């Protein structure tokens, strides 16, 4: 579920970067999306590890 | 002393009568229930009876014929998936060529790739469910086989092997249901999502995908290694204990009991030999059940893997880079799924192999 959310985030980020013009706004959006993505991946890894332990 | 040996003789006599009924007492209904796969059934009781009567034979040619027949039988269902994948790939190439290059082209291309990728992901999720079901079926079979193995092995006098089989079976079933079903499949689904995102978006996700792939391989490697370590050490020790115990018992009967001692030792040999036959027949039947439980899903996944790989190679000349990469990545996911099914099957078959092969026979 978390990975699907991550997938949606990646796709939204790609769509935004494809549609938005070059500039600070686009870079900021990408940065925010990237940080969210990192948080999601970290949560997924934590959850997977906890499943094993 | 004489009374003790007479008591032992009586116990062996009871064991022999129980042994004669063991073939009938083994209940295959729980195992049989796991083997229904698209209305194809294997009669395990018949196989067991044939092994016991010596009519059963496994020849490499016959096995290859059966596997080839099964592969031909599955081609039809997998080709539907491959046809859809080929259609999606060709449609992407077609639409991409129709869309003129320009400012809005990037968004349109992303939308096309996204539709194709999600459609392929939806098709792949069917195979995920198949593989999950196969592993669940193997775990259930192990759960159903363990009490049969323990009850049959008790007749042969292998008390230590019997005590070793139960935790080993629990470990295999636990590893399959906990680590493989809950852990490995989660990682595999995450990998499929990452492959999809990496192929469609322009974000650099290569390293993350490689890391998740590596996690999956390590997980399988560690679990199989732990299983092999547990099996090789524990199985050998249990077999040695049982061998020493029964060899000592035979020697004592032969040397300490006057006149009939050698007869008793001979009878012990024939009784345990008969029990060995029941044990081996039950073990081989178990192996056949395990292979039958996951043969079809494994063939499906194998055909899908090679089909996608071949498709991406063939369509590459007309298709674009993103779609070809997507097909290649999904083919990689299929190969990991196939390795997961094979690892589960190998663990289960080796578990049944412990039951058939390892024992005190090595010492006789």
């Amino acid at each position: 579920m978390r990975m699907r959310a991550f997938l949606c985030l990646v796709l939204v980020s790609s769509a935004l970067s494809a549609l938005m013009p070059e500039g600070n706004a686009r870079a900021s959006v990408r940065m925010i999306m990237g940080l969210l993505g990192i948080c999601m991946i970290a949560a997924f890894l934590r959850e997977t590890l906890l499943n094993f332990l | 002393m004489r009374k003790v040996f007479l008591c032992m003789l009586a116990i062996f006599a009871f064991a022999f009568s129980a042994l004669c009924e063991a073939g009938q007492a083994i209940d295959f209904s729980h195992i049989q229930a796991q083997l229904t796969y698209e209305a194809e059934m294997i009669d395990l009781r018949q196989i067991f009876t044939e092994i016991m009567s010596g009519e059963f034979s496994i020849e490499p040619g016959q096995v290859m014929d059966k596997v080839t027949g099964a592969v031909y039988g599955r081609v039809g269902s997998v080709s539907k998936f491959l046809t859809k994948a080929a259609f999606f790939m060709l449609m992407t190439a077609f639409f991409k060529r129709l869309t003129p290059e320009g400012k809005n082209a990037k968004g349109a291309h992303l939308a096309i790739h996204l539709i194709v990728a999600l459609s392929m992901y939806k098709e792949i999720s069917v195979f995920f469910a198949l593989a999950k079901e196969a592993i669940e079926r193997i775990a259930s079979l192990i759960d159903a086989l363990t009490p049969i193995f323990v009850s049959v092995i008790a007749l042969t006098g292998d008390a230590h092997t019997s005590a070793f089989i139960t935790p080993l079976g629990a470990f295999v079933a636990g590893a399959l249901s906990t680590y493989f079903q809950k852990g490995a499949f989660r990682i595999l689904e995450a990998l499929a999502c990452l492959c999809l995102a990496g192929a469609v978006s322009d974000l650099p996700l290569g390293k993350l995908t490689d890391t998740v792939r590596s996690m999956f391989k390590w997980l399988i490697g560690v679990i199989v290694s732990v299983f092999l370590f547990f099996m090789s050490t524990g199985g050998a020790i249990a077999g040695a204990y049982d061998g020493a115990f029964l060899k000592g018992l035979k020697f004592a009967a032969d040397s300490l009991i006057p006149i009939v001692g050698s007869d008793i030792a001979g009878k012990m040999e024939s009784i345990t030999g008969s029990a060995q036959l029941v044990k081996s027949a039950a073990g081989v039947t178990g192996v056949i059940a395990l292979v039958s439980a996951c043969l079809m899903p494994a063939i499906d996944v194998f055909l899908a893997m090679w089909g996608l790989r071949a498709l991406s190679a063939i369509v590459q000349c007309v298709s674009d880079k993103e779609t070809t990469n997507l097909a290649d990545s999904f083919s990689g996911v299929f190969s990991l799924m196939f390795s997961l099914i094979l690892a589960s099957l190998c663990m289960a078959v080796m578990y049944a192999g412990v039951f058939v092969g390892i024992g005190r026979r090595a010492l006789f």
Side-chain angles (χ1 to χ4, degrees):
Chain A
M1 197 65 206
R2 215 178 281 280
M3 281 315 287
R4 283 183 190 163
F6 173 74
L7 176 65
C8 290
L9 188 80
V10 168
L11 295 175
V12 169
S13 165
S14 295
L16 283 176
S17 59
L19 297 175
M20 282 174 80
E22 291 276 351
N24 281 345
R26 184 178 147 173
S28 306
V29 166
R30 281 192 72 141
M31 180 59 88
I32 291 165
M33 292 281 183
L35 285 174
L36 273 175
I38 290 168
C39 290
M40 279 185 178
I41 289 288
F44 168 76
L45 290 177
R46 184 178 161 274
E47 212 174 271
T48 310
L49 281 174
L50 283 179
N51 249 4
F52 290 128
L53 304 172
Chain B
M1 182 61 83
R2 196 167 194 169
K3 281 180 183 174
V4 171
F5 280 109
L6 283 173
C7 281
M8 284 173 69
L9 189 64
I11 290 166
F12 270 104
F14 281 121
F16 184 68
S17 60
L19 187 65
C20 295
E21 291 177 7
Q24 296 300 319
I26 294 174
D27 182 16
F28 287 105
S29 57
H30 289 104
I31 306 170
Q32 196 82 55
Q34 305 296 328
L35 299 184
T36 314
Y37 190 79
E38 295 187 3
E40 283 177 34
M41 291 285 280
I42 294 171
D43 191 355
L44 288 177
R45 179 157 287 287
Q46 194 190 348
I47 291 171
F48 180 77
T49 315
E50 281 179 11
I51 296 171
M52 287 295 286
S53 60
E55 292 166 8
F56 185 78
S57 65
I58 303 175
E59 286 169 21
Q62 275 182 339
V63 174
M64 283 310 292
D65 284 347
K66 290 213 168 180
V67 171
T68 314
V71 170
Y72 280 129
R74 302 311 303 166
V75 165
S77 62
V78 178
S79 64
K80 282 179 195 164
F81 160 71
L82 291 175
T83 313
K84 278 182 193 170
F87 174 74
F88 292 144
M89 288 170 84
L90 290 174
M91 285 308 280
T92 318
F94 182 66
F95 277 118
K96 202 169 175 189
R97 273 159 214 267
L98 278 183
T99 324
E101 288 292 332
K103 199 181 170 186
N104 294 327
K106 215 175 167 186
H109 291 169
L110 179 72
I112 295 164
H113 286 137
L114 188 58
I115 292 166
V116 170
L118 287 176
S119 312
M120 279 175 79
Y121 184 80
K122 195 186 159 205
E123 295 293 326
I124 283 173
S125 58
V126 175
F127 288 91
F128 269 117
L130 267 182
K132 239 180 197 173
E133 200 186 318
I135 290 174
E136 195 180 332
R137 219 178 289 148
I138 294 174
S140 309
L141 271 175
I142 294 287
D143 278 339
L145 281 170
T146 305
I148 294 176
F149 284 178
V150 170
S151 61
V152 172
I153 218 165
L155 294 173
T156 64
D158 295 330
H160 290 90
T161 311
S162 177
F164 165 70
I165 281 279
T166 313
L168 187 68
F171 173 78
V172 176
L176 294 185
S177 56
T178 309
Y179 296 120
F180 281 10
Q181 272 194 306
K182 287 183 189 160
F185 267 104
R186 272 176 66 89
I187 297 175
L188 206 55
E189 279 170 359
L191 184 65
C193 285
L194 281 173
C195 288
L196 198 158
V200 171
S201 76
D202 54 350
L203 290 175
L205 293 169
K207 275 214 181 285
L208 187 60
T209 313
D210 286 346
T211 309
V212 172
R213 190 178 288 129
S214 171
M215 259 172 73
F216 180 85
K217 287 177 185 169
W218 269 90
L219 171 71
I220 294 186
V222 166
I223 290 172
V224 172
S225 305
V226 168
F227 167 72
L228 284 177
F229 174 76
F230 188 36
M231 195 189 79
S232 54
T233 51
I237 292 166
Y241 275 134
D242 289 330
F245 171 70
L246 267 138
K247 203 162 185 180
L249 198 65
K250 262 177 63 185
F251 177 74
D254 201 3
S255 55
L256 295 178
I257 304 174
I259 305 167
V260 290
S262 58
D263 281 349
I264 292 171
K267 291 283 184 295
M268 277 165 66
E269 175 77 8
S270 60
I271 288 167
T272 51
S274 310
Q276 287 284 334
L277 177 64
V278 177
K279 189 182 92 163
S280 304
V284 173
T285 312
V287 170
I288 291 170
L290 286 167
V291 173
S292 318
C294 64
L295 182 66
M296 299 302 176
I299 289 173
D300 281 359
V301 172
F302 179 78
L303 287 175
M305 173 184 82
W306 277 105
L308 264 188
R309 206 165 280 182
L311 197 64
S312 77
I314 293 166
V315 180
Q316 193 182 20
C317 52
V318 287
S319 184
D320 58 335
K321 198 178 80 185
E322 286 89 346
T323 320
T324 321
N325 281 349
L326 182 72
D328 267 339
S329 309
F330 279 160
S331 162
V333 172
F334 273 122
S335 77
L336 292 181
M337 206 189 297
F338 184 64
S339 69
L340 186 63
I341 297 175
L342 277 198
S344 313
L345 181 64
C346 282
M347 276 171 67
V349 167
M350 277 193 273
Y351 165 68
V354 170
F355 176 70
V356 177
I358 297 177
R360 66 178 184 282
R361 295 304 108 187
L363 291 173
F364 277 114

